[in-house]
Amino acid sequence: MRLGIGIGWRPEIADAVEALPGIDWVEAVAENICTGHLPDSLVRLRERGVTVVPHGVSLGLGGAGRPDAGRLADLAARAELLSAPLVSEHIAFVRAGGPRTASPGLEAGHLLPVPRTRDALDVLCENVRIAQDSLPVPLALENIAALISWPGEELTEGQFLAELVERTGVRLLIDVANLHTNHVNRGEDPATALDELPVEAIAYVHVAGGVEKDGVWHDTHAHPVTAPVLDVLAELRSRVDPPGVLLERDDDFPPAGELAGELDTIRATLDRAAGNVTRSAPVLRPAARTGASAPPDATRDRLAAAQTALLSALVAGGPAPQGFDRRRLGIQSRALAAKRAGVVAKVAPELPEILGAGYREAFLSYARTRPMSAGYRRDALDFAEQLLIAGRPADDAARRRLTHWWQDRAAARPPRRTTRLVRAARAALIGR
């Protein structure tokens, strides 16, 4: 199936996406879609014949544990709700710790790289097969961007992806911006990766923007697509005609005209590189999987210990594991904390409103000693609770507002209308 040219659908740009000319399909973050109520914008797009692909971010197929059955069921339900031709996820781990390491569970709140080792590949392949057996449509997996490299890696990115495809039959979602990121941050040549990976397995391609700061490329999805990323897209197009290409934008959304201009630039890049194609366009079909034995528990245990040590260093103030670049770990740790602060501000916008200019500093101070153990909404509650235990904020009115906010959301049931009216009246009287 050919997808064509698409854009990442986000609620903040829903109207702009609907109005963009020449959009064949959209990709929506699976965890942001409620199966009980599909956003009106997605309903209208589907009625126009626009394909919608759910894109998961929380499975953590590269983690030491087997995929969570509930998360797989949720992803499957969204695929069926959208009548999607496929679903996509990432080659990454997002959590660690727990019973396998007899340590507290840790959540990264971000996609972290899997070590390119035989152990990690064995675990990943079994996890992918479990996911494939649980999903009603083909699965495509995305290469991720990384600031850090694992010591002692045994395979290049291209080799790792090629063997993953050979052993599982999974499709690939190749993010050319991530290939460029890994070129800057890890010295990996995008052309070499493209030469080594099976381009005929590509289901679609991501294109996104980023920014370089102090010699480190940050894959922000909040900046315009740069020329080096377009160069990688051209390299890929010279090797194969991918079924779909999609522009991603997750923050600092520009006017609709700028999005349209970026899509035009992507189309022009593909057209210019089309004359040098050396392989035919792949046909998307259900994966044919090969049989393989499951990795022994000892393999998962080794991976669990390594991933827990790394995540502890990044989010819980643990020591840097041997062989890692301490400077890069520090950059990654600060980036994770900043992302947490930003996402919590979105899921709980009342917190920056109550705390004002002091929100970010207060949250980053909290994040240095309090790793995330559940989702962002739980993180917001824990942050507010810690502030209140410490007698903050200093302003009495702000502290009362924060107390009421926490009580309302920590309670089993929301407050009655009468309670809300009484609080509003008290706040009005105090403000006089």
Side-chain angles (χ1 to χ4, degrees), residues 2-26:
R2 288 204 64 81
L3 293 168
I5 299 295
I7 189 169
W9 182 90
R10 303 292 183 267
E12 298 90 337
I13 54 171
D15 291 342
V17 169
E18 287 188 64
L20 286 170
I23 294 298
D24 302 307
W25 67 294
V26 299

Side-chain angles (χ1 to χ4, degrees), residues 14-291:
D15 291 342
V17 169
E18 287 188 64
L20 286 170
I23 294 298
D24 302 307
W25 67 294
V26 299
E27 179 193 76
V29 176
E31 288 80 357
N32 292 345
I33 298 173
C34 176
T35 54
H37 177 68
L38 197 62
D40 292 341
S41 173
L42 288 180
V43 172
R44 289 191 294 269
L45 286 168
R46 290 185 66 231
E47 288 173 347
R48 283 168 38 191
V50 175
T51 298
V52 182
V53 172
H55 184 53
V57 297
S58 64
L59 274 184
L61 293 175
R66 291 176 176 84
D68 180 78
R71 294 180 191 275
L72 283 171
D74 287 344
L75 186 55
R78 283 153 180 79
E80 292 177 334
L81 174 69
L82 296 166
S83 300
L86 77 162
V87 298
S88 58
E89 247 287 353
H90 300 82
I91 301 170
F93 80 99
V94 297
R95 60 188 65 87
R100 190 174 287 276
T101 57
S103 62
L106 298 172
E107 291 279 341
H110 190 68
L111 303 164
L112 294 176
V114 175
R116 297 176 196 149
T117 61
R118 292 292 174 188
D119 275 3
L121 183 59
D122 288 345
V123 171
L124 175 63
C125 286
E126 189 195 14
N127 288 350
V128 168
R129 285 189 288 268
I130 293 169
Q132 289 171 316
D133 289 340
S134 303
L135 296 170
V137 294
L139 171 67
L141 292 181
E142 179 179 355
N143 59 304
I144 71 162
L147 286 172
I148 54 179
S149 298
W150 284 84
E153 292 193 318
E154 300 163 338
L155 300 164
T156 65
E157 179 157 40
Q159 292 168 343
F160 192 85
L161 295 177
E163 190 161 337
L164 173 65
V165 170
E166 181 181 355
R167 291 171 59 176
T168 66
V170 77
R171 315 302 298 186
L172 294 177
L173 190 184
I174 294 300
D175 190 314
V176 294
N178 291 347
L179 291 178
H180 172 67
T181 301
N182 292 343
H183 171 60
V184 176
N185 294 347
R186 294 156 56 144
E188 298 172 357
D189 181 19
T192 299
L194 291 172
D195 285 340
E196 292 176 338
L197 64 84
V199 293
E200 65 276 3
I202 294 175
Y204 64 96
V205 174
H206 273 175
V207 184
V211 64
E212 187 169 350
K213 184 178 180 182
D214 297 330
V216 173
W217 186 267
H218 296 270
D219 180 47
T220 63
H221 291 194
H223 292 81
V225 177
T226 61
V229 171
L230 294 171
D231 289 342
V232 181
L233 177 63
E235 281 277 355
L236 184 149
R237 181 64 182 90
S238 71
R239 289 162 172 77
V240 71
D241 182 9
V245 178
L246 181 128
L247 171 66
E248 279 192 298
R249 186 80 178 222
D250 294 331
D251 209 347
D252 289 342
F253 300 102
E258 290 186 28
L259 292 174
E262 287 203 278
L263 287 165
D264 287 342
T265 300
I266 289 170
R267 291 188 185 96
T269 299
L270 293 169
D271 288 343
R272 283 195 300 270
N276 298 321
V277 174
T278 58
R279 305 190 195 185
S280 60
V283 177
L284 181 63
R285 57 186 180 275
R289 300 185 291 280
T290 58

